[in-house]
Amino acid sequence: MGTRLKRKNKYGPAGRYAYQGLDRMIHEHARLSVLTSLITHSHGLTFSALRELCALTDGNLSRHLQVLEEAGLVSLFKSSDLHRPVTLCRVTARGRRRYMEYLAVLGRVISDTQCALRGEPAFRSALKSAAAS
Amino acid sequence: MGTRLKRKNKYGPAGRYAYQGLDRMIHEHARLSVLTSLITHSHGLTFSALRELCALTDGNLSRHLQVLEEAGLVSLFKSSDLHRPVTLCRVTARGRRRYMEYLAVLGRVISDTQCALRGEPAFRSALKSAAAS
């Protein structure tokens, strides 16, 4: 038991790399695509534009939008354009806040690997993208 | 159809936010924790140290290590320490390369949101973490 405790302390506190704040609702690949698209288009995107930008099928996008709407992270507005139904999708204030909290954890993942990967070209490229102004 | 094509072009190319390089093998929360722990400890970590750092159960960690080993991203070395079995886990060269490619995509997610979130304190905090030297 003493050995176990020593091991815990040797590498850092328990849960040091657990990234508990990595919100499962946002971390899912398709939902991360959808939310990033909506965050970067604050006036909203139509369903069809979102489907193209995220390279999702109708069914997949519908399912993820429903999950995000039920969680209060996006709002969906139904309308019609030349007699065709149109859905406008927007991120909510809550979705924006949760997304920012999620991004802060992604920032920690990147910073945690800095020392280990500093010399690697692909890592420098990742950092350059993240820090570009 | 003309309207659909116009919408595609208005917001960017199809798949602009699809993040196809967001490797599913690594993106899964527990595996991201495991690989980040191993990347930052290049000499390897014992099973028990990894379990504590990632706040995973024995069963969960075993399952994810098996998946990562089968994909060639980690190597597992069995030994014994004072007659107790000890497993040493290390990231492979392939795992390291795939992780770096994954990080480059995470960098793109962050950079894509820069303009939209530049003024938000939580976003500045994420960027600061990612770019800290």
Side-chain angles (χ1 to χ4, degrees), chain B residues 13-27:
Chain B
R16 169 67 182 81
Y17 297 94
Y19 304 119
Q20 297 293 0
L22 214 58
D23 194 331
R24 197 170 293 276
M25 175 67 69
I26 300 176
H27 192 60

Side-chain angles (χ1 to χ4, degrees), chain B residues 50-63:
Chain B
L50 203 48
R51 184 190 59 207
E52 302 299 335
L53 287 172
C54 299
L56 292 170
T57 62
D58 278 8
N60 242 338
L61 179 54
S62 290
R63 188 165 57 85

Side-chain angles (χ1 to χ4, degrees), chain B residues 106-126:
Chain B
L106 281 197
R108 275 187 45 221
V109 173
I110 293 180
S111 66
D112 280 345
T113 55
Q114 281 188 313
C115 290
L117 298 176
R118 197 178 296 277
E120 308 277 358
F123 181 63
R124 287 204 305 272
S125 158

Side-chain angles (χ1 to χ4, degrees), chain B residues 76-110:
Chain B
L76 306 179
F77 303 88
K78 311 276 184 182
S79 180
S80 64
D81 175 13
L82 296 175
H83 310 297
R84 288 186 322 160
V86 172
T87 300
L88 181 71
C89 316
R90 295 185 67 172
V91 66
T92 62
R94 182 181 188 183
R96 195 175 168 88
R97 192 172 62 246
R98 288 262 297 268
Y99 185 91
M100 286 187 295
E101 290 163 0
Y102 170 83
L103 268 195
V105 185
L106 281 197
R108 275 187 45 221
V109 173
I110 293 180

Side-chain angles (χ1 to χ4, degrees), chain A residues 13-43:
Chain A
R16 168 69 182 80
Y17 296 94
Y19 303 119
Q20 296 294 1
L22 214 59
D23 194 330
R24 195 170 295 276
M25 175 67 68
I26 301 176
H27 192 60
E28 197 285 330
H29 189 156
R31 291 197 289 269
L32 181 58
S33 292
V34 168
L35 283 174
T36 305
S37 304
L38 294 179
I39 285 276
T40 56
H41 296 87
S42 56
H43 296 298

Side-chain angles (χ1 to χ4, degrees), chain B residues 9 11-12 15-16 29 31 35 38 44 46 48 53 60 62 67 76 85-86 88 94 114-115 122 127 130 133:
Chain B
N9 296 332
Y11 299 109
R16 169 67 182 81
H29 189 156
R31 292 197 289 268
L35 282 173
L38 294 179
T46 61
S48 57
L53 287 172
N60 242 338
S62 290
V67 171
L76 306 179
V86 172
L88 181 71
R94 182 181 188 183
Q114 281 188 313
C115 290
L127 266 192
S133 58

Side-chain angles (χ1 to χ4, degrees), chain A residues 9-131:
Chain A
N9 295 333
K10 184 175 174 182
Y11 300 109
R16 168 69 182 80
Y17 296 94
Y19 303 119
Q20 296 294 1
L22 214 59
D23 194 330
R24 195 170 295 276
M25 175 67 68
I26 301 176
H27 192 60
E28 197 285 330
H29 189 156
R31 291 197 289 269
L32 181 58
S33 292
V34 168
L35 283 174
T36 305
S37 304
L38 294 179
I39 285 276
T40 56
H41 296 87
S42 56
H43 296 298
L45 288 167
T46 61
F47 183 93
S48 56
L50 203 47
R51 184 191 56 207
E52 302 299 336
L53 288 171
C54 300
L56 292 170
T57 62
D58 278 7
N60 241 339
L61 178 55
S62 290
R63 189 167 56 84
H64 287 299
L65 281 176
Q66 187 184 346
V67 170
L68 290 169
E69 187 185 32
E70 284 171 5
L73 305 194
V74 304
S75 295
L76 305 179
F77 303 88
K78 310 276 184 184
S79 180
S80 65
D81 175 12
L82 296 175
H83 310 297
R84 289 186 323 160
V86 172
T87 301
L88 181 71
C89 317
R90 295 185 67 171
V91 66
T92 62
R94 183 181 186 180
R96 196 174 167 88
R97 190 172 63 246
R98 287 262 296 268
Y99 185 91
M100 286 186 297
E101 289 164 359
Y102 171 82
L103 269 194
V105 185
L106 283 197
R108 274 186 46 219
V109 172
I110 292 179
S111 66
D112 280 345
T113 54
Q114 281 187 314
C115 290
L117 298 176
R118 196 179 297 276
E120 309 276 0
F123 181 63
R124 287 204 305 271
S125 160
L127 264 193
K128 195 176 162 189
S129 294

